[in-house]
């Protein structure tokens, strides 16, 4: 068993970055995720692994530092919270266009605008539908525990390099700020070989020059590039869908929830079952690609689905697309940094699905 | 004599300006932000320009400045206050416009906006609170954090080789042709408060001349972020901040002050 | 075994660190733990609270609205959380600064005069450990040893010399905790 520690979700991200052999972290302070950079600063990762840590002058600068480092094949990451992620969106679009790997962590807070520093899941659309300009997707992982905050940094980089695509870890103020037991994975050394043909390492006489760009003024070529991206996203849909199920076997009703809402719903399932309601929970772990197939299968025998999210109803659109009218789909969620309690979810279930 | 006798109107020696609301300040006790709020609001009242003034709050501890300042204000995204002020002033050239920004806001994420607003010679006033730290987010390094100074992202002190040098934004913008008045003040003693108020007053009066941007830096304490008592933080500020950020006028009437 | 606790008081009273030590103690007993704080700058000098859950099973929601136990250190928190203790649950509070005492009769209520006691022994910093000691006395799933092990694990070695004073404070808390009856007080 790996080392056991009690950590905040944000600290687990930072420790995992060092252990995952990340080459560079670039950040800018924002609540509720500042502990990521603070933990790294205290740990002095350059002494532990040689990892670079830099506080940038803005989120725009930070994501472009990631872009630069990623162009050379380095494992680069950044983290922020909602307003800062909006600023990074331009850069993320360029990373996706240039097919560069990186991990971006969003510890979501309530919006729009400056909003609130309290937890929220209001950035679901931004994360899963592109977020920046142009036709692209990030691969989106949604941790529901401090353990997953750690594990998904490593998984995130594996996927980012496998698909040469930005990966977002879509967390929230609850998972970022809470402490739980984490089993830390064994450190993996930083990569020292940069021999894939897209990585900029300096042109030598024995090879052609390499270019990292998202630009192509020839529309036919650009369309070909778009089609390649589409094919890549299709592959992700075939191979990378991840989800977890609780008490779904005999369920008549289903909660669909991710991140902190999934944790809350787990408790609601328990209370509801004690009351005799056959309820289960499906927790998407990847939000893009989405577990649509599984939901569609389940919909055949469900009396109704409640999409529980800390927003005004964003993921519910993916749930509805997945079940395609086969069963009733309703939404419940608090906003503005308010968090639903398990009992409130139960009331919503009774009101929207049982009545 | 009881209290009622003492608080008779004819005994009044000081009154809070009507430009401040009744709301209790949310700043830490001992913080300089509150004093600068008061001075700015008093100046507007004394110049009788409240009705013609539009303020721009930034993102930092003073993000809620509009709760305390009883004037028309907007609240800009982090770093973009001078861009927002440009938008206002260009549409309302006869209004008095000012931004109220921290060092993280003005000198890190908003550097480009700051430099270009100054360089374009936008005819508004910038009030710049330099406390050498990000107060709002819990004491991280700011672009102005001194070499060796501890913060939550420089727990072993700012190492210049790794984290870069502190930036003297005020000296920098003084070099730009678009600035008309550039000064650095503090509010940690009564004498300094008076000087700072005078500087803020000039910075607003200048808007009538239409000759460019007026930039008032206030070197201030962040006792919470520095993890000191208010009194200790003021002593520390005198001993450490002032040698690096010397007080006084840097540019007056469009001319650099030679010392 | 599943224990869901709210600890609430002023920022600076050591609310969050008490919760952390409790969570660490749970780890020493091989329990699952979660620690969810209130956070943000609005806490400056304001109220602070933390939800700690200790359980033999995997913990579902870290956010809860009804608690098995409430450890309360100021009036605002008493007003807010007294009604959120489940019937039959525990409310432990420090009487310092309390003007309206608890009124419920369907829960167990205990007092610990930790503020007064920490002032008496001239060590205000162990205030929260006295409170934690009182809680330990009332709950048998955690022993003093678990908390001391938890302290060893959570404190960096350079602070280990403080463990003894903390252990003493825990014992003081165990000794001075006393029952309170809202019924009798009426
Ligand atoms: C885009 C964006 N990034 C980050 C933040 C978080 N944030 C809020 S205030 C602040 C720093 C403010 O520091 P400063 O300007 O020095 O003002 P002070 O709080 O010290 O008065 C930061 C980084 C934000 N609100 N928006
Ligand atoms: S954190 Fe610092 S800048 Fe902010 S109010 Fe407190 S003392 Fe002032």
């Amino acid at each position: 068993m790996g080392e056991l520690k009690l950590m905040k979700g944000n600290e687990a991200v930072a420790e995992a970055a060092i252990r995952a052999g990340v080459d560079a972290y670039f950040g800018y302070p924002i609540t509720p995720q500042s502990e990521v950079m603070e933990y790294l600063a205290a740990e002095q990762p350059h002494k532990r692994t040689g990892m670079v840590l830099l506080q940038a002058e803005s989120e725009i600068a930070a994501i472009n530092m990631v872009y630069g480092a990623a162009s050379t094949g380095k494992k680069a990451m950044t983290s922020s919270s909602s307003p800062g992620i909006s600023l990074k969106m331009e850069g993320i679009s360029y990373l996706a266009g240039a097919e560069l790997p990186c991990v971006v962590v969003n510890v979501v807070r309530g919006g729009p605008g400056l909003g609130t520093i309290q937890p929220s899941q209001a950035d679901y659309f931004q994360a899963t539908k592109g977020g920046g300009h142009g036709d692209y997707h990030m691969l989106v992982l949604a941790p529901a525990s401090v353990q997953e905050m750690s594990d998904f940094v490593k998984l995130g980089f594996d996927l980012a390099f496998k698909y040469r695509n930005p990966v977002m870890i879509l967390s929230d103020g609850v998972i970022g700020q809470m402490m739980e037991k984490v089993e830390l994975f064994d450190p993996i050394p930083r990569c020292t070989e940069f021999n894939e043909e897209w990585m900029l390492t300096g042109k030598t006489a024995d090879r052609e020059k390499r270019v990292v760009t998202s630009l192509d003024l020839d529309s036919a070529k650009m369309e070909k590039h778009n089609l390649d991206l589409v094919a890549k996203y299709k592959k992700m849909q075939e191979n990378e869908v991840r989800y977890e199920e609780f008490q779904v076997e005999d369920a008549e009703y289903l909660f669909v929830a991710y991140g902190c809402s999934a944790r809350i719903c787990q408790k609601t399932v328990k209370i509801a079952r004690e009351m005799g309601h056959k309820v289960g929970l499906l927790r998407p772990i990847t939000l893009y690609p989405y577990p649509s197939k599984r939901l569609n299968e389940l919909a055949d025998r469900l009396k109704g689905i409640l999409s529980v999210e800390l927003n005004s109803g964003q993921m519910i659109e993916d749930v509805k697309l997945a079940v395609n009218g086969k069963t009733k789909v309703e939404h419940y969620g608090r906003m503005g940094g308010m968090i639903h309690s398990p009992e409130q979810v139960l009331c919503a279930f009774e009101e929207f699905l049982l009545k | 004599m009881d209290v009622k006798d003492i608080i008779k109107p004819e005994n009044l020696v000081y009154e809070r300006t009507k430009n401040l609301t009744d709301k209790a300040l949310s700043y830490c006790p001992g913080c300089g932000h509150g004093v600068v709020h008061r001075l700015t609001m008093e100046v507007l009242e004394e110049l009788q320009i409240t009705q013609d003034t539009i303020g721009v709050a930034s993102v930092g501890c003073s993000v809620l400045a509009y709760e305390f300042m009883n004037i028309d204000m907007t609240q800009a995204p982090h770093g973009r206050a001078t861009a927002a002020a440009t938008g206002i002033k260009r549409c309302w050239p006869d209004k008095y416009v000012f931004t109220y920004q921290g060092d993280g806001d003005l000198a890190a994420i908003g550097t480009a906006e700051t430099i270009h607003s100054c360089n374009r010679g936008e005819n508004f006033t910038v009030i710049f609170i330099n406390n050498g730290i990000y107060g709002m987010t819990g004491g991280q390094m700011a672009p102005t954090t001194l070499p060796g100074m501890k913060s939550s992202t420089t727990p072993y002190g700012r190492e210049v080789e790794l984290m870069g040098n502190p930036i003297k934004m005020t000296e920098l913008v003084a070099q730009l042709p678009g600035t008309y008045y550039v000064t650095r003040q503090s509010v940690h003693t009564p004498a300094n408060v008076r000087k700072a108020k005078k500087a803020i007053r000039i910075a607003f009066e200048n808007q009538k001349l239409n000759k460019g941007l007026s930039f008032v830096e206030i070197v201030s304490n962040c006792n919470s972020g520095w993890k000191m008592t208010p009194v200790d933080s003021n002593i520390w500020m005198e001993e450490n901040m002032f040698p690096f950020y010397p007080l006084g006028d840097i540019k007056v009437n469009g001319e650099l002050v030679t010392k | 075994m599943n224990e869901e606790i709210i600890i609430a008081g002023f920022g600076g009273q050591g609310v969050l660190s008490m919760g952390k030590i409790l969570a660490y103690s749970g780890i020493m007993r091989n329990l699952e733990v979660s620690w969810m704080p209130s956070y943000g700058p609005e806490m400056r000098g304001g109220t602070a609270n933390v939800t700690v859950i200790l359980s033999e099973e995997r913990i579902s929601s870290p956010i809860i609205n009804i608690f098995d136990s409430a450890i309360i250190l100021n009036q605002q928190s008493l007003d807010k959380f007294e009604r959120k203790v489940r019937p039959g649950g525990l409310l432990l509070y420090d009487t310092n600064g309390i003007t309206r005492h608890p009124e419920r009769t369907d829960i167990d209520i205990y007092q610990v005069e930790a503020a007064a006691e920490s002032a008496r022994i001239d060590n205000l910093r162990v205030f929260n450990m006295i409170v934690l000691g009182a809680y330990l006395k009332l709950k048998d799933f955690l022993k003093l040893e678990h908390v001391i092990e938890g302290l060893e694990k959570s404190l960096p070695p350079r602070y280990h010399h403080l463990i003894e004073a903390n252990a003493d404070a825990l014992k003081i808390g165990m000794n001075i905790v006393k029952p309170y009856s809202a019924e009798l007080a009426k």
Side-chain angles (χ1 to χ4, degrees):
Chain A
M1 202 156 103
E3 200 181 329
L4 266 190
K5 274 201 148 183
L6 182 69
M7 290 182 123
K8 280 193 175 193
N10 290 335
E11 296 169 342
V13 163
E15 178 60 34
I18 303 175
R19 286 173 182 251
V22 170
D23 294 296
Y25 171 94
F26 305 104
Y28 187 78
I30 186 167
T31 313
Q33 65 77 57
S34 294
E35 292 86 357
V36 178
M37 192 164 36
E38 291 174 346
Y39 182 95
L40 287 171
E43 278 299 310
Q44 301 184 292
H46 55 282
K47 288 194 183 154
R48 279 176 61 182
T49 66
M51 174 182 167
V52 170
L53 165 68
L54 188 65
Q55 180 175 333
E57 70 272 26
S58 71
E59 290 87 351
I60 300 176
I63 192 71
N64 285 292
M65 290 172 186
V66 168
Y67 183 94
S71 302
T72 67
K74 293 276 185 179
K75 280 187 181 174
M77 72 180 282
T78 182
S79 67
S80 188
S81 176
S82 311
I85 295 291
S86 288
L87 289 185
K88 290 187 199 289
M89 277 300 155
E90 176 194 54
I92 292 172
S93 166
Y94 280 70
L95 279 146
E99 294 197 75
L100 292 176
C102 72
V103 170
V104 179
V105 183
N106 183 359
V107 183
V108 181
R109 61 191 233 178
L114 207 44
T116 166
I117 56 174
Q118 299 303 325
S120 162
Q121 298 183 314
D123 297 355
Y124 180 90
F125 280 151
Q126 186 197 49
T128 59
K129 310 288 166 184
H133 63 283
D135 234 331
Y136 75 94
H137 284 284
M138 289 183 278
L139 198 153
V140 184
L141 298 169
S145 63
V146 176
Q147 184 67 51
E148 287 185 342
M149 286 289 262
S150 165
D151 296 347
F152 287 3
V153 173
K154 190 164 142 202
L155 174 65
F157 273 104
D158 288 347
L159 294 171
F161 275 79
K162 180 170 171 191
Y163 292 96
R164 278 178 58 193
N165 203 68
V167 168
M168 172 164 280
I169 298 179
L170 189 71
S171 180
D172 56 66
V174 174
I175 307 292
Q177 289 295 328
M178 77 187 228
M179 290 211 281
E180 287 186 309
K181 232 166 23 175
V182 216
E183 186 183 339
L184 297 168
F185 57 84
D186 292 333
I188 37 181
R190 283 172 50 225
C191 187
T192 50
E193 277 171 37
F194 301 93
N195 43 19
E196 287 196 45
E197 62 186 32
W198 55 271
M199 299 173 175
L200 305 183
T201 53
K203 184 189 171 317
T204 46
D206 59 347
R207 69 159 171 82
E208 296 290 306
K209 74 169 161 68
R210 294 170 183 167
V211 176
V212 169
T213 181
S214 58
L215 170 76
D216 211 323
L217 292 176
D218 179 336
S219 294
K221 282 196 192 152
M222 189 62 208
E223 186 180 45
K224 164 84 176 52
H225 176 55
N226 282 131
L227 288 171
D228 288 346
L229 290 179
V230 171
K232 176 161 90 175
Y233 304 141
K234 198 154 169 265
K235 250 200 205 147
M236 290 181 194
Q237 280 161 6
E238 281 158 13
N239 301 321
E240 305 304 341
V241 172
R242 288 166 169 79
Y243 57 86
E244 192 180 9
E245 294 180 349
F246 298 92
Q247 312 207 4
V248 168
E249 308 73 37
D250 64 339
E252 294 174 350
Y253 297 96
L254 188 71
F255 294 138
V256 182
Y258 69 95
C260 71
S261 283
R263 294 285 295 268
I264 294 162
C265 285
Q266 240 178 292
K267 180 131 190 164
T268 313
V269 167
K270 205 173 140 206
I271 307 174
R273 289 239 166 208
E274 280 162 12
M275 296 168 67
H277 304 304
K278 288 193 173 155
V279 191
L281 165 67
L282 184 137
R283 171 173 83 92
I285 293 173
T286 50
L287 297 178
Y288 189 89
Y290 196 73
S292 307
K293 232 194 213 157
R294 178 60 182 155
L295 266 173
N296 189 282
E297 282 165 24
L298 288 174
D300 287 330
R301 60 171 165 87
L302 289 172
K303 292 188 187 161
I305 297 179
L306 190 65
S307 180
V308 183
E309 1 168 11
L310 290 172
N311 58 43
S312 64
Q314 301 190 12
M315 182 177 70
I316 186 176
E317 295 192 1
D318 284 333
V319 178
K320 281 188 170 169
L321 280 174
V323 309
N324 203 10
K326 281 185 184 172
T327 189
K328 182 172 168 179
V329 180
E330 297 285 345
H331 164 267
Y332 175 68
R334 306 286 307 261
M335 286 170 280
M338 298 301 289
I339 304 176
H340 29 240
S341 66
E343 292 78 14
Q344 285 171 328
V345 176
L346 184 70
C347 288
F349 161 71
E350 287 171 340
E351 180 170 342
F352 297 143
L353 293 186
L354 289 189
K355 261 185 203 160
Chain B
M1 200 163 67
D2 77 352
V3 179
K4 286 215 181 81
D5 298 315
I6 301 173
I7 59 170
K8 281 194 298 222
E10 55 268 35
N11 289 341
L12 207 63
V13 286
Y14 173 82
E15 206 175 6
R16 187 187 58 197
T17 162
K18 293 189 180 56
N19 283 347
L20 285 172
T21 63
D22 281 337
K23 185 132 188 166
L25 293 175
S26 56
Y27 304 107
C28 307
C31 171
H33 268 304
V35 181
V36 185
H37 277 30
R38 171 171 68 81
L39 298 184
T40 311
M41 291 304 99
E42 284 176 357
V43 164
L44 298 187
E45 185 172 38
E46 288 162 22
L47 294 176
Q48 300 182 347
I49 57 171
T50 308
Q51 68 289 351
D52 293 321
T53 302
I54 299 170
V56 184
S58 63
V59 175
C61 280
S62 59
V63 63
L64 292 177
Y66 55 81
E67 297 261 339
F68 316 120
M69 298 184 178
N70 198 11
I71 62 168
D72 283 0
M73 281 188 96
T74 182
Q75 197 282 314
H78 198 21
R80 321 294 175 220
T82 55
T86 301
I88 299 170
K89 188 76 182 189
R90 293 281 175 134
C91 297
W92 298 93
D94 295 336
K95 299 277 181 213
Y96 292 82
V97 176
F98 74 97
T99 69
Y100 187 102
Q101 301 173 260
D103 43 358
D105 192 89
L106 178 143
I109 192 168
T111 319
E113 285 80 0
T114 306
I115 294 209
H116 286 288
S117 300
C118 288
N119 199 45
R120 285 193 305 262
E122 298 296 341
N123 191 35
F124 56 74
T125 300
V126 171
I127 313 259
F128 166 37
I129 308 292
N130 175 9
N131 54 19
I133 207 154
Y134 285 12
M136 170 82 156
T137 39
Q140 294 84 6
M141 178 182 74
T144 46
T145 298
L146 298 176
M149 184 173 165
K150 285 188 182 166
S151 73
S152 69
T153 51
T154 58
Y156 311 103
R158 183 179 191 148
E159 287 175 66
V160 168
E161 309 77 56
L162 289 178
M163 299 142 188
N165 296 286
I167 189 166
K168 298 186 185 188
M169 207 58 180
T170 307
E171 277 81 354
L172 218 148
V173 301
Q175 301 301 319
L176 302 174
T179 49
Y180 185 67
Y181 176 55
V182 180
T183 185
R184 183 184 283 123
Q185 304 289 336
S186 82
V187 291
H188 70 304
T189 68
N192 286 93
V193 168
R194 275 194 292 277
K195 277 195 213 157
K197 183 167 173 182
K198 205 171 133 208
I200 294 171
R201 191 184 170 101
I202 295 169
F204 276 94
E205 282 171 343
N206 283 346
Q207 290 196 35
K208 274 186 279 202
L209 307 174
N210 207 7
K211 288 209 167 148
L213 194 140
S214 294
F215 192 97
V216 182
E217 171 180 340
I218 312 278
V219 182
S220 184
N221 62 338
C222 172
N223 37 290
S224 285
W226 297 355
K227 306 207 184 315
M228 293 175 197
T229 64
V231 174
D232 286 351
S233 71
N234 279 334
I235 297 169
W236 191 89
M237 180 169 71
E238 283 181 351
E239 288 173 356
N240 298 279
M241 295 284 278
F242 293 169
F244 195 87
Y245 299 111
L247 303 184
D249 291 341
I250 298 168
K251 194 176 194 180
V252 177
N253 297 339
E255 300 290 334
L256 284 170
V257 176
T258 44
K259 281 192 189 130
Chain C
M1 178 264 139
N2 186 67
E3 168 82 350
E4 305 184 332
I5 312 154
I6 179 87
I7 309 175
F10 288 120
Q13 276 181 319
V15 166
L16 300 188
S17 64
M18 192 195 321
K20 212 153 141 179
I21 292 161
L22 198 54
Y24 259 114
S25 316
I27 292 183
M28 295 301 133
R29 251 214 59 188
N30 281 326
L31 296 172
E32 296 299 320
V33 301
S34 79
W35 174 97
M36 179 67 212
S38 56
Y39 63 85
E42 84 281 15
M43 283 162 53
R44 283 192 190 113
T47 54
N49 68 63
V50 59
T51 302
V52 178
I53 304 178
L54 305 170
S55 177
E56 273 161 356
E57 284 164 43
R58 180 170 159 186
I59 293 166
S60 56
S61 177
I63 307 275
I64 43 181
N65 209 15
I66 299 164
F67 304 91
D68 297 315
S69 299
I71 302 177
I72 299 297
L73 305 177
N74 67 9
Q75 185 72 57
Q76 282 108 304
S77 305
L78 183 61
D79 295 345
K80 184 164 173 196
F81 292 110
E82 178 181 357
R83 58 199 149 87
K84 297 195 172 179
V85 179
R86 72 164 168 77
L90 166 74
L91 190 155
L92 168 67
Y93 73 110
D94 188 336
T95 49
N96 185 35
I98 298 292
T99 51
R100 186 200 65 80
H101 287 262
E103 284 156 17
R104 280 180 62 177
T105 51
D106 60 339
I107 55 175
D108 294 330
I109 304 178
Y110 286 84
Q111 295 180 335
V112 56
E113 293 181 0
E117 193 60 24
S118 64
R120 199 183 61 74
I121 62 171
D122 199 22
N123 191 354
L124 296 177
R125 301 176 75 167
V126 298
F127 161 74
N128 60 351
M129 288 294 110
I130 298 179
V131 179
L132 187 58
Y135 175 78
L136 281 186
K137 171 84 179 191
L138 302 172
K139 291 280 166 179
D140 48 17
F141 68 93
L142 274 185
K143 302 261 167 304
L144 187 63
E145 307 90 76
H146 298 128
V147 180
I148 294 174
E149 277 175 55
L151 278 169
E152 277 164 6
K153 176 97 184 162
S154 63
L155 288 174
R158 65 177 187 282
Y159 291 127
H160 277 191
H161 63 280
L162 298 175
I163 290 178
E164 205 184 311
N166 280 294
D168 290 344
L170 287 165
K171 287 179 207 150
I172 293 176
M174 295 176 111
N175 286 331
I176 65 172
V177 61
K178 56 179 193 235
Y180 173 83
S181 162
E183 197 92 63
L184 292 179
K186 270 178 196 161

